């Protein structure tokens, strides 16, 4: 049977650039169409690329038809910190982008992956071992758009049978790509600054515990849920997935095991407020039970791998 054609929308971003690389390794370069409003800088994009604005429905449809696309990963969005600065654009992109795609996937029977976030939770959510089903009262426009998006996904699945699959990603950490304007970005920047300057000024407070995941695990979770038998994907809003939780201080202590003179200082900014409303750790037992989710990297393994792969000349540093 021929491999289904896959379209990744938002492929030049932190997740997209690594997801495209892995999808192409698994399914072949020509079967994975990268697309973004921004031209890719990454050498990874050796296969097909389409310049595409997800809000321009006619162009999305033209691309789908041109390549006979059967699966879409929709990654185009504004993340928490950027979204707070551009609330109307964030709502427009994060909501209308999704709704356009749900409608297209309904009409053309396309399987859709759309990521949610730990930002769907809020100050009245239990913060430790946050359950799959619990109070959700997000305080950021990003979190509000993700929560509304989850409801749209479930609605389109229930009413129209759209095969939409979703994960509530925690903060994602990787060395290959730059994070795109989120609150958890410190956990990437810290490694580049540690290598480059031996020090880092953190925009979150020392004891801010957040759920995090190493990018190889996030990519694996994403492809695993898309490849799972439909009967196993029982939750069509979005699944909690987890790997590790740590504070900036704990991450700095782990980095010091490799770079003993590393120094961290703290200057919390507005992002501290967003982080303080999010979970500290997540209960992901539904994902583990339903479709076999399992993470590989904990704090020690992730830190070791990040530092092995980041060199002084690596481009990501803030
Ligand atoms: P990113 O900002 O790095 O990448 C988003 C990409 O979308 C960018 O390349 C951007 O150019 C593109 N884009 C923006 N507007 C577009 C448009 N109109 N049309 C087409 N492309 C457009 O974000 P990311 O970190 O890769 O996140 C991808 C998804 O995962 C988002 O939905 C985000 O909310 C979600 N997520 C990410 C994290 C994380 O830690 N990175 C955590 C939770 C959820
Ligand atoms: C952000 O910080 O905005 C993202 C997320 C947790 O959704 N990394």
């Amino acid at each position: 049977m021929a491999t289904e054609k896959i379209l990744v929308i938002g492929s030049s971003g932190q997740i997209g650039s690594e997801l495209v690389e892995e999808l192409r390794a698994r399914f072949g370069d020509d079967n994975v169409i990268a697309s973004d409003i921004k031209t890719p800088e990454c050498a990874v994009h050796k296969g097909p690329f389409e310049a595409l604005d997800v809000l321009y429905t006619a162009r999305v449809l033209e691309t789908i038809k041109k390549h006979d696309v059967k699966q879409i990963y929709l990654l185009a969005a504004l993340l928490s910190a950027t979204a707070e600065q551009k609330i109307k654009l964030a709502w427009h992109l994060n909501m209308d982008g999704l709704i356009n795609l749900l409608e297209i996937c309904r009409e053309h029977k396309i399987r859709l992956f759309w990521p949610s976030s730990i930002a769907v939770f809020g100050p009245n959510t239990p913060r430790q071992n946050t359950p799959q089903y619990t109070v959700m009262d997000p305080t950021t426009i990003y979190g509000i758009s993700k929560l509304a998006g989850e409801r749209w996904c479930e609605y389109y699945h229930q009413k129209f049978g759209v095969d939409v699959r979703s994960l509530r990603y925690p903060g994602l950490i990787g060395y290959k790509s730059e994070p795109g304007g989120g609150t958890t970005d410190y956990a990437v920047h810290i490694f580049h600054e540690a290598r480059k300057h031996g020090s880092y000024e953190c925009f979150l407070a020392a004891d801010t515990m957040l759920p995090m995941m190493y990018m190889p695990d996030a990519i694996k979770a994403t492809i695993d849920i898309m490849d799972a038998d439909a009967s196993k994907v029982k939750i069509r809003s979005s699944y909690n997935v987890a790997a590790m939780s740590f504070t900036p201080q704990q991450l700095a202590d782990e980095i010091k095991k490799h770079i003993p003179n590393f120094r961290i200082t703290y200057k919390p900014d507005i992002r501290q407020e967003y982080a303080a409303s999010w979970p500290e750790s997540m209960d992901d037992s539904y994902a583990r039970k339903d479709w076999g989710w399992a993470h590989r990297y904990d704090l020690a393994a992730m830190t070791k791998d990040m530092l092995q792969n980041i060199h002084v000349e690596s481009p990501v540093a803030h």
Side-chain angles (χ1 to χ4, degrees):
M1 208 177 76
T3 308
E4 291 190 340
K5 290 277 171 70
I6 299 170
L7 174 65
V8 179
I9 302 178
S11 63
S12 304
Q14 188 195 12
I15 302 172
S17 50
E18 298 208 32
L19 181 65
V20 167
E21 184 182 4
E22 182 59 27
L23 288 170
R24 285 188 173 156
R26 290 192 195 200
F27 303 116
D29 287 356
D30 291 342
N31 290 317
V32 181
I33 297 97
S35 75
D36 203 290
I37 202 165
K38 200 168 74 185
T39 313
E41 291 162 18
C42 196
V44 159
H45 289 290
K46 287 188 188 121
F49 175 82
E50 298 278 354
L52 182 152
D53 180 342
V54 71
L55 296 171
Y56 186 16
T57 312
R59 174 79 184 111
V60 177
L61 268 172
E62 181 192 305
T63 307
I64 287 169
K65 285 183 188 155
K66 177 176 161 192
H67 296 279
D68 192 21
V69 167
K70 296 290 182 220
Q71 292 186 28
I72 297 178
Y73 292 77
L74 171 57
L75 303 175
L78 291 194
L79 275 73
S80 56
T82 314
E84 285 306 295
Q85 288 160 10
K86 302 175 183 174
I87 58 173
K88 286 195 174 158
L89 174 62
W91 185 255
H92 185 38
L93 175 60
N94 295 9
M95 286 291 51
D96 294 335
L98 172 62
I99 295 167
N100 284 351
L101 259 293
L102 283 167
E103 192 51 31
I104 289 172
C105 290
R106 177 175 80 84
E107 272 177 36
H108 296 269
K109 307 244 172 309
I110 292 169
R111 184 179 302 171
L112 177 64
F113 176 82
W114 171 82
S116 184
S117 161
I118 55 166
V120 291
F121 299 108
N124 292 297
T125 304
R127 295 192 69 210
Q128 281 92 28
N129 214 23
T130 298
Q132 174 71 38
Y133 299 105
T134 185
V135 176
M136 299 169 90
D137 56 348
T139 53
T140 59
I141 203 69
Y142 175 68
I144 294 169
S145 72
K146 289 294 185 188
L147 178 53
E150 288 192 9
R151 304 320 306 155
W152 275 94
C153 288
E154 182 156 319
Y155 183 89
Y156 261 72
H157 178 72
Q158 300 291 354
K159 297 275 175 189
F160 307 121
V162 172
D163 189 359
V164 55
R165 302 165 184 217
S166 177
L167 304 172
R168 291 174 182 151
Y169 289 136
L172 302 184
I173 302 161
Y175 59 87
K176 294 184 184 171
S177 51
E178 191 165 357
T183 300
T184 59
D185 295 10
Y186 91 84
V188 179
H189 299 154
I190 192 172
F191 285 101
H192 292 272
E193 293 296 297
R195 272 278 178 252
K196 213 171 177 181
H197 303 298
S199 64
Y200 178 64
E201 183 177 90
C202 185
F203 58 74
L204 296 185
D207 59 351
T208 312
M209 177 80 78
L210 285 169
M212 299 279 185
M213 187 180 286
Y214 198 33
M215 193 60 88
D217 276 338
I219 300 298
K220 179 177 171 295
T222 306
I223 299 177
D224 280 358
I225 194 175
M226 279 297 266
D227 279 356
D229 191 274
S231 63
K232 293 190 170 168
V233 186
K234 298 191 171 80
I235 295 174
R236 298 299 184 138
S237 52
S238 193
Y239 276 94
N240 281 6
V241 280
M244 61 184 113
S245 286
F246 55 77
T247 65
Q249 188 62 57
Q250 287 168 336
L251 178 55
D253 289 345
E254 196 60 38
I255 290 173
K256 275 185 204 167
K257 292 180 187 168
H258 303 265
I259 306 175
N261 293 330
F262 175 66
R263 289 174 57 79
I264 185 163
T265 52
Y266 299 95
K267 195 176 174 194
D269 65 19
I270 186 70
R271 288 169 281 192
Q272 178 62 32
E273 259 182 42
Y274 316 150
S277 73
W278 294 352
E280 294 189 344
S281 59
M282 307 277 286
D283 171 7
D284 62 354
S285 48
Y286 281 88
R288 289 176 191 268
K289 179 166 57 72
D290 287 359
W291 46 274
W293 159 241
H295 71 281
R296 284 178 296 174
Y297 288 87
D298 60 11
L299 173 59
M302 178 275 291
T303 303
K304 185 168 174 233
D305 204 60
M306 283 292 283
L307 289 172
Q308 270 170 358
N309 284 289
I310 290 176
H311 308 288
V312 173
E313 67 278 8
S314 296
V316 185
H318 292 263

